[in-house]
Amino acid sequence: MLLRINTLFVFLLLNVASKAQDVNITGTLSDLQTGEPVPYAGMGIPGTTYGTVSSPEGRFELVLPSVHAADTMRINALGYRTA
């Protein structure tokens, strides 16, 4: 099923905790319509080397310098198209 990637942002469960000069973003990526986890989705900050991949259960953790805390995160997942 193809869904627009921006629907993924609606169901991100983010827990943002600031540690010194780093920002730790953790969450679970799941499909908005089915609630199923989205495994092995690549995500990161465009134009940087900061990124990660979600686990088979859709969980992820991304540690960023605080300077990138307000940047846009891009998510790519098999079966979903980028909007």
Side-chain angles (χ1 to χ4, degrees):
M1 170 183 354
L2 291 177
L3 297 177
R4 289 179 34 193
I5 197 75
N6 59 353
T7 60
L8 293 175
F9 291 106
V10 176
F11 52 84
L12 280 176
L13 303 174
L14 295 179
N15 178 18
V16 179
S18 184
K19 295 179 182 177
Q21 294 183 359
D22 288 341
V23 175
N24 186 20
I25 303 171
T26 60
T28 301
L29 187 62
S30 58
D31 187 285
L32 181 63
Q33 292 180 342
T34 66
E36 293 293 316
V38 179
Y40 309 112
M43 58 194 78
I45 307 300
T48 72
T49 59
Y50 299 105
T52 191
V53 176
S54 64
S55 72
E57 298 81 23
R59 287 185 240 128
F60 67 91
E61 179 177 12
L62 182 60
V63 179
L64 301 170
S66 60
V67 68
H68 291 293
D71 289 356
T72 300
M73 180 168 41
R74 183 175 196 139
I75 302 172
N76 297 301
L78 188 60
Y80 296 86
R81 68 178 163 209
T82 304

